[in-house]
Amino acid sequence: MKRTAIALGLLLSASATVVAQTPSTLTLQSHAKASAVLDAAVVAIGGAEALQEIRTVRLELDGETWPRNQMPTPEPPFDAGHFNEKLLFDLTTNSLLLEQRVAGAGFEGHNATVIKGGEGANYDLRGRTTTPIPAGQTNQQQFIQYYRRLPNLILIQALGRPTSLRHLGETNYEGRKHDVITFVMPDTQQVAIYVDAQNRLISKYELIFADPLDGNTASEIIFSDYAQSGKLKVPRIWSWRIAGDLVASYKVKTEFNPAVTDDSFNVASAGFTTVPPAGPNPEASVEKLADGVFVLHNVAGPNQNTLAVEFKDYILAVEAPGDSAGGERVIARIRETIPGKPVRYVVLTHHHGDHVGGLRSFIAEGATVITTKSNRRVVETLARAPQNDRLARTPRAPQFEFVEEGRRRFTDGEQVVELVDVGPNPHAREMIVAYLPKHRIVFQGDLFRVPDNGAPYGPPQSSTLSFAKSLKSKGMIVDRIASVHGPTATFEEFQTATGSIAEAGGRR
């Protein structure tokens, strides 16, 4: 028995020696280095104690925007839009009041979101409607995105997620050495933080996402011009870059621990109409508008529609929204709906990213791209993007035909489609709609949309009013207006939304 105990003691002693001599794994080394960088960043911004004292935050962002692949023109110079956001956030109760005003590219918006006590609502302050937020969407996950508004709140999250910390390496950013660490936030977003090696403040963070023109790319939120706010340092400039392009620049005002009450998270909404939230992702379907005329609803993705028109020897598709996978689904559904004919043409209404994301599949299919000349570079750039899809496996250059002098007509003697440039429109300087005069149908993108939850239309957008005037000036007589986003509308619904503007045109 004594010998056994001695042997066991020697074995345990030998095991301890082996453990002590075992080198740290790469993961542990990366975690340890990231933890040290995080600790230094916490000290530099004001210390862990000061961060832990944050209970409420009042934040305002105000400045200019240049949304990537969403500007009125495909090439600079771009006319800036405007963005204002006011956020009141209680970290202890997960209460939130968010108010946003946006303007640009033919649209204006003024909305507020309130979440408190596990309940919430969205308020359209322009259209004067209230939409309840389903209870399942008011949990903590809803709040995490707002922690990314400030480096201080990002550090609080990083301190609470220590096991996911990793050190990615060292790099130069803006001429200064930085340590780059990463961690995973509760909403599953993996965030990479750039910490200045000299002052130990966060210069920026990055997220990775798929861009239709560049493939996987970085979204960068840049913090600069730090100043003291009580015990903590905060940035006074908040900039946003996507794929290297500046898409927003805001001035920042921050107040920690302002006094709040339950009433602080209320919106004055007397007289507002309550409307139900939009349902779950709508089902894919095919709507027959006329013989040989079909709208493929939600096939490319939720609220992403394509028009398919049958001619004697071929098919003309209008719009390629979504992404390459969505484009493949659209092509497959067109084949099922109109068998035995090739998709010879694909028409782009305009150059915005959500309208061209599925185009690579149509190029791989051999379809000729119909657009305006200024959009050629956008299409060629998209066709070269490093994506994992059919076009990457079987490369081919896009083939073009252009809508010139404002109109182009396709006909086989029976079916007629006129592609009409209704620009300059505030949303896009060159904007094509597909007009089918025989059936009195027009198919358009972003110029008019029927709310999918029964909400009243509210004041019309300038892009919609411009479109209403174009119906008359371009001689288009319509009964139905089909859309890239949302259901097909009647002309009477369009009149309701636009009032006397529509009454002046679109019917004879």
Side-chain angles (χ1 to χ4, degrees):
M1 188 73 177
K2 186 175 180 180
R3 289 182 180 179
T4 302
I6 292 173
L8 181 58
L10 290 173
L11 178 60
L12 291 173
S13 176
S15 298
T17 301
V18 170
V19 170
Q21 294 177 349
T22 300
S24 176
T25 68
L26 288 176
T27 301
L28 288 171
Q29 291 174 22
S30 176
H31 177 263
K33 193 165 186 179
S35 297
V37 172
L38 173 63
D39 290 344
V42 168
V43 171
I45 211 164
E49 183 177 345
L51 290 176
Q52 291 166 2
E53 290 174 354
I54 297 175
R55 296 291 183 267
T56 56
V57 179
R58 179 176 281 117
L59 177 69
E60 181 175 3
L61 304 178
D62 187 82
E64 294 182 315
T65 60
W66 304 268
R68 178 174 165 78
N69 302 327
Q70 294 291 331
M71 298 303 294
T73 58
E75 303 283 354
F78 297 132
D79 295 330
H82 183 257
F83 176 84
N84 179 271
E85 175 180 278
K86 295 177 182 177
L87 172 67
L88 182 62
F89 191 14
D90 189 326
L91 280 64
T92 62
T93 64
N94 278 341
S95 297
L96 174 143
L97 170 60
L98 176 74
E99 182 180 356
Q100 293 180 329
R101 291 177 182 265
V102 297
F107 290 100
E108 293 183 10
H110 186 195
N111 297 275
T113 299
V114 172
I115 298 176
K116 61 178 181 178
E119 297 181 350
N122 291 316
Y123 299 88
D124 183 341
L125 302 175
R126 189 170 180 271
R128 298 181 65 78
T129 61
T130 304
T131 306
I133 298 175
Q137 297 178 17
T138 61
N139 57 24
Q140 189 186 23
Q141 293 287 88
Q142 183 83 6
F143 297 89
I144 296 304
Q145 59 182 307
Y146 301 110
Y147 278 85
R148 292 192 283 271
R149 292 293 197 266
L150 285 175
N152 316 74
L153 302 184
I154 292 173
L155 290 174
I156 289 174
Q157 283 290 304
L159 288 169
R161 311 276 291 178
T163 58
S164 68
L165 280 169
R166 299 292 185 272
H167 187 270
L168 294 183
E170 299 175 351
T171 189
N172 284 320
Y173 170 67
E174 296 293 326
R176 304 188 309 277
K177 181 181 175 182
H178 284 71
D179 284 288
V180 186
I181 63 175
T182 185
F183 75 102
V184 179
M185 297 186 74
D187 62 354
T188 73
Q189 280 284 3
Q190 185 167 354
V191 181
I193 305 170
Y194 284 61
V195 178
D196 191 306
Q198 191 167 27
N199 62 29
R200 312 313 291 176
L201 294 172
I202 296 177
S203 295
K204 69 170 180 173
Y205 74 82
E206 292 181 349
L207 305 174
I208 300 300
F209 76 103
D211 181 86
L213 296 189
D214 287 288
N216 289 338
T217 191
S219 172
E220 308 167 75
I221 303 298
I222 302 159
F223 304 116
S224 59
D225 193 22
Y226 276 80
Q228 201 71 29
S229 177
K231 298 178 183 179
L232 294 163
K233 293 179 180 177
V234 293
R236 291 184 293 187
I237 300 295
W238 199 99
S239 304
W240 185 8
R241 291 185 180 274
I242 294 179
D245 292 342
L246 181 67
V247 299
S249 181
Y250 309 134
K251 293 181 179 179
V252 184
K253 296 179 182 178
T254 307
E255 181 183 1
F256 293 117
N257 296 325
V260 299
T261 66
D262 190 59
D263 287 340
S264 301
F265 298 92
N266 289 334
V267 171
S269 58
F272 279 36
T273 300
T274 299
V275 297
N281 288 343
E283 294 184 1
S285 64
V286 177
E287 178 187 19
K288 183 177 180 179
L289 296 181
D291 288 343
V293 182
F294 305 90
V295 177
L296 284 68
H297 290 274
N298 312 307
V299 175
N303 290 309
Q304 304 280 359
N305 305 336
T306 297
L307 178 73
V309 183
E310 179 183 9
F311 291 84
K312 289 180 179 178
D313 300 320
Y314 63 89
I315 298 163
L316 180 144
V318 183
E319 210 72 312
D323 55 18
S324 290
E328 295 293 347
R329 292 193 296 271
V330 169
I331 291 169
R333 187 63 67 93
I334 290 175
R335 288 173 177 160
E336 293 175 6
T337 306
I338 311 172
K341 295 182 180 180
V343 180
R344 186 174 296 175
Y345 301 103
V346 58
V347 180
L348 303 184
T349 63
H350 59 298
H351 63 278
H352 291 173
D354 56 323
H355 292 258
V356 303
L359 184 61
R360 288 172 55 90
S361 297
F362 284 89
I363 295 172
E365 183 72 10
T368 296
V369 178
I370 309 293
T371 185
T372 52
K373 283 188 175 180
S374 68
N375 293 336
R376 180 171 190 143
R377 187 198 66 82
V378 172
V379 175
E380 291 176 335
T381 301
L382 182 143
R384 294 192 300 267
Q387 307 241 18
N388 182 20
D389 58 11
R390 179 158 56 126
L391 187 61
R393 294 187 292 272
T394 56
R396 68 163 68 209
Q399 301 299 308
F400 292 93
E401 293 183 17
F402 298 105
V403 176
E404 300 184 77
E405 298 182 358
R407 193 179 294 250
R408 175 161 182 172
R409 193 169 191 262
F410 287 81
T411 184
D412 59 5
E414 292 292 331
Q415 198 73 271
V416 179
V417 174
E418 294 182 3
L419 303 178
V420 183
D421 186 351
V422 296
N425 184 279
H427 190 60
R429 296 291 182 267
E430 296 176 352
M431 174 68 81
I432 293 174
V433 301
Y435 174 49
L436 287 72
K438 180 179 176 180
H439 306 297
R440 296 165 70 110
I441 294 168
V442 69
F443 180 81
Q444 51 77 36
D446 292 348
L447 301 180
F448 176 64
R449 179 174 179 174
V450 175
D452 52 10
N453 61 349
Y457 290 102
Q461 300 287 353
S462 60
S463 55
T464 302
L465 294 177
S466 177
F467 171 52
K469 294 176 182 178
S470 293
L471 288 177
K472 180 178 182 180
S473 65
K474 303 291 183 179
M476 291 181 280
I477 305 171
V478 301
D479 292 331
R480 286 170 291 173
I481 300 174
S483 304
V484 177
H485 306 304
T488 299
T490 65
F491 189 76
E492 286 72 23
E493 289 174 310
F494 186 63
Q495 282 183 309
T496 299
T498 56
S500 60
I501 297 295
E503 291 173 5
R507 285 282 182 86
R508 298 291 187 276

